[in-house]
Amino acid sequence: MPVRSLLLRLAGLLAVLFGVSLIIFTLTYLAPGDKAMAIAHARYPDAMGFAPEILEGIRQEFHLNAPFHMQFLHWLGGFVTGDFGLSYASGAPVWDIFIDNLGETATLALAALTLGLVAALVLSSLAVWHVGGWVDRLAIILASVGAAMPGFWLGLLLILFFAAQLNWLPAYGTGTAAHLVLPALTLAFWVMASQTRLLRTFMLEAYGLPFIETLRLRGVSEREIFLRHVLRHASIPALTMIGLDLAGLLEGAVIVELTFSRGGLGALLAGSVLARDFPMVVFLVMFFAVAYVTINSVIEIVQDAVDPRSRAGGAAAARKSGAQA
Amino acid sequence: MQTATATAAPGWAPVSAMRLFLRRLGVVLAAGGLVALAGFWLTPYAPGGADFLNRLSPPGRAHWFGTDQLGRDIATRILYGGLWSLGLAFIVVTVGAVFGTLVGLVASRGGRVLDYALMRTTDSFFAFPELIAAVTVAGLFGPGTFNLMLALILVSWMKFARLVRSLSLSLAQRDFITQAQLNGLPEWRILWHHYLPNIAPGVLVLWTNSWSRTILAISGLSFLGFGVQPPNAEWGAMLLDGKAHMQTAPHIMIFPGLAVLSAVLAINLVGDRLRDLLAEQHQP
Amino acid sequence: MLRLQNLSVQMGDAVLLRGISCALSRGEMLCIIGESGSGKTTLLRALQGLMPAHCDRFCFCPPGQPPVDLSGALPRGRGLRGTSWVMQDPLAALNPRRRIGASIAEGLYRDRLPPDRLKAAVTAALAEVELDAEFHDRYPAQISLGQAQRACLARALIARPALIFFDEPLSALDAMVQKQIAHRMDVLRRDRGLSYVVVTHDLGFAAAYADRILVLHKGRVAAFQDKQAFFAAPASAYARSLIGAAQALGSLTPVGAAA
């Protein structure tokens, strides 16, 4: 049975990936403007105008005259075999440009995630220590404000204060570790806010479980109950939520990168969009979508493997919907 | 609270906490709307009215929030910006909610094949983070308000579809649905009288939540140049507009950001309270 | 009026009911007794067409309606005309976001009455279960469990059925309310000449009100007898042990004596 459900999940994943690529291709197909002209401009940046023969040649080369489904299959075929095309803007392979920029975003996201998680863990632990106390209230306020805070505005405030007023840190650009501090702080604040809220809820839930009371009656110390039982109970759902919020992290990274004029995937996406560099845009969107879908499928599969209840629930739900039809 | 219980007819259960909350919310919204209307009426400035003698003047009696680099009154622009930010997000989320609810109902009531196809489609759209989708559409179709809304609507309906589908699947097992079917009610009547009223509260909570998220997305995208374009007074677009002058005149960026923060915070708080009340209702 | 021969219910590989035969005349009350999982509720659901069921012969001839007489698979999905169904949990059986009056009126949906006559019918049905007309506009959360079960009974009565199925109609209620509603059910049955099929755990209730008793055990009939015969000489060892258990708990004699 597990093999069968795994196969079903993989089939579902493939169906979703197909859907994702169909959506993206349809968008590029519907986009206004002459794509042959865009390619010609990218290829011969100095030329002022193009002879119709040249444009027709490009259309032949890129199958732009073929019907929709043929274009789609051609494009999908290239994508599946690892041929992502050349950037219109620079002429370099899309993949190489992507790899050059990936590190920057990954560094930012990892730094922010670490910082935010540590802060959230400390804050929520202190909060549940005295529920209703001032730390708890502070945690709730920070979580609410963090969820409502526009990341770009927080970035601007930090720049204004730490870079412009105090002159401690560089405001814009990439390079040294000092450049990473403000962007990472901006993004970490969002991570901290969302994770504090979740961790606090999960910890309180764990404290409400009957076996905690049993442990207390047995004389297990509060410290040990917290470290060995409550924390473990709360961390599993919290880790799952991080996976689910990966999209939020990526979005945040894009906004922060652009706010601080950093390099990275966000800047690359924005730059490609403004330059109407179709292959680059399509590849980046595919990357974000595929990464998101894949990670979430893996999380679901792992959850199924770890927690027999969700598996039983899934089977019951399947049976119910079967009985319905 | 006292007035509400006192006005309730004798012999009736006291007005439920939910109704009380909705009534208060209505009062607050009406008051807020009146204040905003009064603002539109009272302000002597136009949102696009440049005044080059008063550029970048700090907050004061004539200009409560100061003026921007073209001498436009920031307070007035924030009022008009609210129409953009809140209004656009309102439209986006409402269209998404209606469409998502329809998809969820059809998926849950339309049989297994339709369910599978619709839910895999939903998953496919789920793969696009709002910002990425909006940036892409802006890139392919050109930046602007209409394309921004189109992009956000494209990626706003899936949460509603999933929620409505799961609520509807669990409702299908409930006894009162069985009774309605046995009594010969047609499917549309069961959907209208039994499914929708029981799905609506959950959708409302998600709607509130999505509204605030979409406000953040719209202002963020406008700030990055992919959404509402200056000189329109959207809050994010105002920040983009004033970014170059923020070191000399910080007030130019403080107030629009504060407006976004407080609007989103307020909507979130309402949504949280609504969710808690619903949870209480389910376990009386 | 109702006759089953060799009914069986199968879901996938699992046989939930097998070889169920019983019969019920007009104005009679049949109690179905058995432990949890013995297939009592399954039998009701199968008769309402909510589960795939097979029957050698199935007859249902309500007065004033064309009789149903068929063999093979029972029809699925739309319920058995001329019957209605009162469920175990009254709050689950009422839409929490619909006024009681509207829920009761659904029982008459097939008649397509104009609003004023529908409202009069609902008021009359409420009176039959001893509820005031003001319950019309209440929501389920605003009334007690017993009142909710009365409302469900009103919904079952309003369409003037010949046969009402009850699935443990009293088990969610406290003893006083149980007694009142059981009494009301009995009065209505006698006044109207209704037939009841009642699933219950409570042998005392069966002893007080039933005409016939069907005992289910592991999806099969363990006894199908008249009430007197059943209590005098149970048809199987399982039925005898059920009676013995009820007597040992003291739940059988007092209620039986009260009737």
Side-chain angles (χ1 to χ4, degrees), chain B residues 176 179 193-194 197-198 281, chain C residues 85 92-93 95 97-98 106 110:
Chain B
F176 63 83
Q179 284 284 354
H193 285 305
H194 292 286
N198 285 288
Q281 268 200 343
Chain C
W85 188 10
N95 182 344
R97 301 200 177 271
R98 199 152 162 71
E106 276 182 6
R110 286 198 176 91

Side-chain angles (χ1 to χ4, degrees), chain A residues 8 11-13 15-21 23-24 26-28 30-32 141 144-145 147-153 156-157 159-160 163-165 171-172 197 245 247-248 250-252 254-255 258-259 261 269-271 273-274 276 278 281-282 284-286 288-290 292-293 318 320-322 324-325, chain B residues 108-109 111-113 115-116 119-121 123-133 135-143 154 162 165 168-169 172-173 195 213 216-217 219-221 223-226 235-236 239 243 246-248 250 253-262 264-266 268-269 272 275:
Chain A
L8 272 177
L13 175 62
V16 168
L17 290 180
F18 181 80
V20 164
S21 42
I23 295 168
I24 294 178
T26 309
L27 282 179
T28 54
L30 292 177
I141 291 172
S144 306
V145 171
M149 177 69 84
F152 56 95
W153 188 58
L156 291 181
L157 286 182
I159 290 175
L160 201 60
Q165 297 285 323
Y172 300 111
R197 190 182 182 125
D245 244 349
L250 278 177
E251 282 183 301
V254 168
I255 289 203
L258 291 170
T259 310
S261 310
L269 179 65
V273 156
L274 292 179
R276 300 181 73 70
F278 286 108
V281 172
V282 167
L284 284 173
V285 178
M286 269 303 260
F288 282 120
V290 171
Y292 180 64
V293 171
K320 270 181 194 167
S321 56
Q324 265 224 305
Chain B
S108 63
R109 307 294 307 152
R112 280 168 94 175
V113 176
D115 186 22
Y116 191 83
M119 289 334 279
R120 293 298 83 75
T121 310
D123 291 346
S124 304
F125 276 92
F126 240 117
F128 299 97
E130 280 166 357
L131 184 102
I132 308 288
V135 169
T136 312
V137 170
L140 297 174
F141 295 84
L154 267 182
R162 275 195 188 170
R165 175 178 173 273
S168 153
L169 280 180
Q173 312 292 323
Y195 280 91
R213 281 182 59 106
L216 277 179
S219 62
L221 284 161
F223 172 72
L224 299 180
F226 296 110
W235 292 336
L239 282 169
K243 196 179 160 192
M246 75 180 199
Q247 296 205 5
T248 45
M253 56 141 315
I254 298 282
F255 292 108
L258 262 185
V260 179
L261 178 66
S262 39
V264 172
L265 197 58
N268 280 347
L269 290 179
D272 287 355
R275 192 198 52 214

